[in-house]
Amino acid sequence: METKCHVKCWTRYVLICILFASMKSVDAVTHYSIPEEMEEGSVVANLASDLGLDVKMLSKRMIRLEVVANKKYLDVNKETGDLYIVERIDREYLCTTKTSCFLKLEAIVENPKRIFFIEVEIMDINDNTPHFRRDANELDISEATQAGERFSVNNAVDPDVGVNSVKTYHLSTSEHFDIEIQTGRDGSKFADLILKKALDREKQAVHNLILTAVDGGTPSRTGTASITVRVLDTNDNAPQFDNEHYRIKIIENSPIGSLVLHLNATDLDDGSNAEMAYMYSLYTSEMTQNTFNLNPHTGEITVKGVLNYEDFKLYDMEVIATDKGTPALSGQCKVTVSVEDMNDNHPEISIKSFQSPVKENIEVDSVIAVVSVSDKDSGDNGVVDISIPENMPFKLRESTDNYFELVLSEPLDREKVPEYDITFTVIDRGSPPLSDNETMTLELLDVNDNVPKFPQSFYTIRVMENNAPGALLDSLTAYDPDLHENQYLVYFIIEREIANTSISMLFSINPENGKLYALKTFDYEIENEFLFHIEARDSGVPPLSSNVTVHIIIVDQNDNTPVIVSPWRAHGSVVEEKIPRSTDKGSLVSKVIAIDGDSVLNSRITYQFLQVTDATLFSLDQYNGEIRTMRMFSYRDPRLQRLVVVAKDNGEPALSATVTIKLSTVETAVKAYSDMTEVPLEYDIFSDLNLYLVIGLGSVSFLLLITILVTIVLKCQKPKSSKAAPPCRNSVISERNSTIADSTLVSNDAYWYSLFLAETRKGKLVVRQPAPKGSRYIVSSLPRSTGLTETSDSAPSTLQGYRR
């Protein structure tokens, strides 16, 4: 292996010597130091200046940057000679275990060929947070452990180096624990957990601590880990009963196995140190042990023999609880059981009278039932109390000894509660008390006390025109919570006249189910809405009713074909018009106007050519129907032109009408009417005179343009005021047949700046080029006659001819 290494090194040395011999010169190593995590595009230094290279010659000399044994994190700008960051550099990724980190680069130029060695040192920044190998540490420490004991915990690591690595540790506040920081041979820091105060598991069984690692960076970074200390138990607590002396009363004739008392002793220790057994002490008599049984595991005292109040009234016993620790610890208590006379007769209840069913509108304070109570026992065992549930509209009123009346205390409503199950409960005052109960059902009879209700107070029903007679429009159903005939509803339309026509001639309603029907076919163009009332009436005595408003809206259908009213023509004939051959580009040739009897979208008409002799000669505005010339006539164009225009509405399906226009060109001096014309682009004969005129006109236009630009520059160089100046974007356009204003429409979107040509015609601004959809406009330098302000959000909807 060593021989191979020498061979490779020698070969590389020879190659380097040959390369050095072929170059004119080789420079020494250029050193740079940069921090890691620099932004992409950040300039490290001007490499050309540092290497003594001419910046202007970098591209010709084909400068390039070669990276030795690494990714290409840096590159050189051939225009400026700057060495800049191509990709973010992470020192911890590039040099994982090294304290120093270098990038070796070679800058190579040609003509003549030279190699420059560059060394970039990557400096560490505090960009990593200390972290523990384990986020949670668990320790088991006996409560008998002496103070001063030391415990090892997991240390933290930080990928950063130098001052940016872990410097110290902090422990959360604890009266039992502290830490001691140690330094390893490699300079790493770790902490030992020190017990500074003895533990007591019975006071606190678990201690939750937070260990924080802090690095030495600026600002410093921290990482945390949790330490959970579980305290192991020792048998240092004796069992203790809840009370030192228990006094229990028990009724005679209690059955065998009846629970007398459940003794509970607690031991603050854990595990076997807290397990215990119960037993009688030597001071408990044999008779008591034969009368009561003690469960050694649960501490339950139950009846073992027959109890008789007349034979023995009082029993004393002493119970010991012993744990299973080593050594075992014990605790004791006294129990006194007194036998009492038994309440062995249940109270009785008897219903003397009961009225059911009753009407729901029965008066308050009416008597519903009369009951009596009795008990064969004496003393408190014979005193009986009677009650009914509290959430009912009734109350009990005592009339004579042991007799009670059930009276109505609140109004009744059958629709809320149709019947009541009333439970009479009697209980004596014995110990323990005995009780009995009896339930009766009170049924309520319905009274017509509810008005029919519609789900809505106002119904809007949309009906498509040309509907079939008898078509179902909607179901208007009311609800009445009453019963039987009080619930049966009848529906009818409240009569009224609409346009001298009875509403019952237009609509009908099923009196049983409230279904509403149309009796005729509706035409939106004649009538488009109706407003009337429908009443629902029950069959009670007296009958109750309510009504609801119905709004019928007739929805338009595309059932009318567009009608072309201009240019006028006899039925089935063709429109013939004449136009001078000298007509300019953009001149208005004709205008097609169509109307539609429908509404909204169904009446919106667009125009388009169905047939055209020459598609390059005429244009048609799809919205206003204007036909204009796209260029001037040439000698090659036929004298007869045939245009077929179709006017189509926006309905579904669309309806349309067509008109045929025959245009014949004539050689006359009369000029066709044109709302807006521009300089002709074509002539039949391009004469010398026309050439001179064009040159002269171009020179004058150029001088005018220079003057305008100078004026704009001077205005834009004025000092900025406290308020933002309007944008300096004006366009000057000459006017020909109409007054053309200088207008600039600028979108407030930073990516859209569009210049539009506009003119004022009869006080309206006409936009010849549409703007981006959804843009906001600033209109400047408009004539006062337009009535527009310099800044207008609604410019698109105001400007005539604008289309989204």
Side-chain angles (χ1 to χ4, degrees), residues 34-63:
I34 63 172
E36 62 173 327
E37 302 291 348
M38 288 184 68
E39 295 287 342
E40 295 179 10
S42 300
V43 176
V44 176
N46 190 288
L47 187 62
S49 175
D50 294 342
L51 298 180
L53 299 175
D54 187 357
V55 176
K56 299 179 180 179
M57 299 298 293
L58 292 179
S59 297
K60 292 183 179 181
R61 298 189 66 179
M62 295 180 294
I63 187 171

Side-chain angles (χ1 to χ4, degrees), residues 3-240:
T3 305
K4 290 182 180 180
C5 181
H6 284 306
V7 171
K8 289 182 180 178
C9 293
W10 176 251
T11 304
R12 184 173 181 183
Y13 175 75
V14 171
L15 291 175
I16 292 173
C17 290
I18 294 172
L19 183 61
F20 281 6
S22 64
M23 294 185 297
K24 290 184 178 181
S25 64
V26 177
D27 291 347
V29 177
T30 302
H31 181 84
Y32 295 106
S33 295
I34 63 172
E36 62 173 327
E37 302 291 348
M38 288 184 68
E39 295 287 342
E40 295 179 10
S42 300
V43 176
V44 176
N46 190 288
L47 187 62
S49 175
D50 294 342
L51 298 180
L53 299 175
D54 187 357
V55 176
K56 299 179 180 179
M57 299 298 293
L58 292 179
S59 297
K60 292 183 179 181
R61 298 189 66 179
M62 295 180 294
I63 187 171
R64 66 183 184 275
L65 203 63
E66 298 291 341
V67 181
V68 180
N70 281 300
K71 291 174 63 177
K72 190 172 183 179
Y73 290 101
L74 297 98
D75 204 350
V76 62
N77 189 324
K78 296 182 179 60
E79 301 296 331
T80 63
D82 289 335
L83 182 66
Y84 65 94
I85 303 296
V86 176
E87 183 179 346
R88 283 197 179 197
I89 303 173
D90 186 356
R91 193 204 65 81
E92 287 74 32
Y93 172 79
L94 189 63
C95 306
T96 308
T97 59
K98 299 177 182 179
T99 56
S100 59
C101 185
F102 294 92
L103 278 176
K104 306 241 182 239
L105 311 174
E106 293 179 358
I108 303 173
V109 295
E110 306 290 343
N111 303 321
K113 189 167 188 176
R114 294 181 64 185
I115 297 179
F116 300 92
F117 296 98
I118 303 170
E119 185 179 71
V120 180
E121 182 180 4
I122 310 302
M123 307 300 292
D124 182 50
I125 64 172
N126 191 25
D127 58 341
N128 288 281
T129 301
H131 66 277
F132 290 84
R133 293 186 177 89
R134 288 182 299 172
D135 293 335
N137 297 274
E138 295 183 356
L139 298 175
D140 292 332
I141 303 176
S142 173
E143 63 178 331
T145 303
Q146 298 296 320
E149 191 73 21
R150 182 186 302 269
F151 304 93
S152 297
V153 294
N154 183 28
N155 67 308
V157 294
D158 192 326
D160 294 324
V161 296
V163 296
N164 295 328
S165 62
V166 176
K167 290 302 178 185
T168 186
Y169 293 88
H170 298 295
L171 185 68
S172 58
T173 304
S174 173
E175 63 175 323
H176 294 278
F177 295 96
D178 202 351
I179 59 171
E180 185 176 299
I181 301 172
Q182 305 290 338
T183 303
R185 293 183 179 181
D186 59 351
S188 61
K189 302 287 186 179
F190 59 92
D192 286 342
L193 188 66
I194 307 299
L195 180 65
K196 64 180 183 180
K197 182 180 178 181
L199 302 173
D200 188 349
R201 192 203 65 81
E202 287 71 38
K203 291 184 179 179
Q204 187 173 355
V206 178
H207 295 263
N208 295 310
L209 308 173
I210 301 296
L211 182 62
T212 303
V214 184
D215 62 22
T218 304
S220 61
R221 292 175 176 264
T222 61
T224 60
S226 63
I227 301 175
T228 302
V229 178
R230 292 188 293 265
V231 183
L232 303 180
D233 183 55
T234 59
N235 191 26
D236 56 349
N237 291 280
Q240 288 186 350

Side-chain angles (χ1 to χ4, degrees), residues 13 263 345 513 551 648 688:
Y13 175 75
L263 290 174
N345 289 288
N513 55 29
H551 185 201
K648 185 186 297 183
D688 294 338

Side-chain angles (χ1 to χ4, degrees), residues 13 102 115 184 420 422 674 694 771:
Y13 175 75
F102 294 92
I115 297 179
Y420 292 91
I422 306 172
S674 173
V694 170

Side-chain angles (χ1 to χ4, degrees), residues 475-495:
S475 181
L476 311 178
T477 305
Y479 170 73
D480 193 323
D482 293 325
L483 289 178
H484 309 305
E485 67 277 359
N486 297 331
Q487 188 184 36
Y488 299 145
L489 302 180
V490 178
Y491 302 88
F492 55 91
I493 298 175
I494 298 177
E495 191 60 51

Side-chain angles (χ1 to χ4, degrees), residues 51 261 273 286 289 296 355 441 554 711:
L51 298 180
L261 177 63
N273 297 328
E286 186 176 350
Q289 295 185 32
Q355 182 182 357
T441 300
I554 309 302
T711 304

